[in-house]
Amino acid sequence: MGICDESRERQVCGGEGDRRNNQTFHHCFPGKPKCYPLHSVVLLTILILAFFGYGFLSSRHLMPAGVRAGHSVAVRDPDGWQVVTLSRRSDALTVTPWLAPIIWEGTFNIDLLNEQFWLQNLTVGLTVFAVKKYMVFLKAFLETAEQHFMVGHHVTYYVFTDRPADVPHVLLKEGRQLVVLSVRSYARWQDVSMHRMEMISNFSEQRFRHEVDYLVCSDVDMKFWDHVGVEILSPLFGTLHPAFYTANRKAFTYERRRRSQAYIPWDEGDFYYIGAFFGGSVAEVQQLTSACHQAMMVDKAKGIEAVWHDESHLNKYLLHHKPTKVLSPEYLWGDWLLDWHPVLKKLRFVTVPKNRQKIRNP
């Protein structure tokens, strides 16, 4: 479904007119990352800053204090310790306070990464929901994915739809396949959007874990414009919302009602992640989607619905389960955002302009 529709609607509804301005980041990062006992003074400085919390600089100087391009740091993921060399970019934040890389153009060598992933012979699953009138976006989504998504790698497209007979025929490259999964529709578009968490969780447990190594979960009302490859793959990744990546934390549209399972206090939060593009290993995605679905069921029993539905629950989950990689707004840009900030070198994945009311209504 169209999570990005909600973002566009928020722009229209008012109350957020300053969200694209170059504001100062203010974030709180509880907890102290682990490190090698004898690591360099640079890493120690980073850890101290992360422990006490610090403000991010404006979009012109987004590197965290104590970090400089070209430095190597030791980070830990589920596979153990690895040394990561920070990017040559000095105009963008390229590492989170918990030392997860933030992916921008110029922060990775795709040739080296492709070689590493080819040696592992991995398969990437891409889930997309083409339900009701959103089927109209599927053909362009798949055609542009064939041009730009995981080129040269094994890919399985999982198309969830209530109209399997209408799935378009798209010529796929060698090593890529399309699987149609029938799902029921719902009267409200919000319910369609929220139930995708349940569907992804169930199929991850029953099927995906046997067929693919990574899952990428996307909205369908999108087009790939440029390369989106293995640089995004990680045990768990989220994507910075393009309307909030330079905003003050207090501008984030988290769920602020305490009754909701998606509740995030005003003094907490790292980034605001968009619900239209996230993923990771099948096991991590299964845990994320299951947790979000269960939280939504608790809310439903209380008679409450989070302000931005599954996106609100996604943000709550990623607050407490830090992603091991964060994608910059290059990886999802909204058609409603007219200004292309200088920090953006490429637009890789973009929303499709549409009449929201016409698409959403029966």
Side-chain angles (χ1 to χ4, degrees), residues 128-229:
V128 65
F129 283 70
V131 179
K132 301 172 75 170
K133 292 182 180 180
Y134 279 82
M135 175 63 73
V136 70
F137 302 109
L138 183 59
K139 189 172 190 293
F141 177 91
L142 293 171
E143 289 177 342
T144 57
E146 279 298 287
Q147 296 173 24
H148 302 296
F149 181 75
M150 301 292 165
V151 175
H153 296 276
H154 297 292
V155 172
T156 299
Y157 299 106
Y158 293 111
V159 177
F160 291 83
T161 183
D162 60 337
R163 297 164 53 184
D166 295 335
V167 173
H169 174 74
V170 175
L171 184 63
L172 304 180
K173 299 182 178 66
E174 184 179 355
R176 301 160 81 94
Q177 63 174 327
L178 187 149
V179 176
V180 178
L181 302 172
S182 295
V183 295
R184 62 166 290 191
S185 181
Y186 293 87
R188 300 191 314 145
W189 65 267
Q190 295 95 331
D191 290 324
V192 175
S193 178
M194 289 190 290
H195 276 279
R196 69 174 184 160
M197 291 293 190
E198 178 185 19
M199 293 295 99
I200 294 172
S201 174
N202 290 343
F203 276 92
S204 293
E205 176 65 26
Q206 300 166 9
R207 178 170 184 169
F208 298 158
R209 65 190 181 97
H210 303 295
E211 298 179 351
V212 299
D213 301 285
Y214 289 91
L215 271 182
V216 177
C217 306
S218 172
D219 277 7
V220 69
D221 50 340
M222 308 286 299
K223 285 185 178 181
F224 291 89
W225 272 23
D226 210 316
H227 165 89
V228 176

Side-chain angles (χ1 to χ4, degrees), residues 14 34 71 116 120 127 138 168 197 247 331:
K34 297 179 181 179
H71 282 166
Q116 294 172 10
Q120 299 176 67
T127 69
L138 183 59
M197 291 293 190
Y331 289 88

Side-chain angles (χ1 to χ4, degrees), residues 293-305:
H293 171 64
Q294 291 174 21
M296 285 186 282
M297 291 301 98
V298 172
D299 274 8
K300 185 176 181 180
K302 295 180 179 178
I304 189 171
E305 190 172 280

Side-chain angles (χ1 to χ4, degrees), residues 42-71:
V42 174
L43 181 56
L44 179 59
T45 303
I46 299 172
L47 295 175
I48 293 172
L49 288 169
F51 180 78
F52 287 106
Y54 56 87
F56 289 155
L57 302 179
S58 71
S59 57
R60 292 180 179 271
H61 302 86
L62 293 175
M63 290 292 286
V67 180
R68 292 294 179 266
H71 282 166

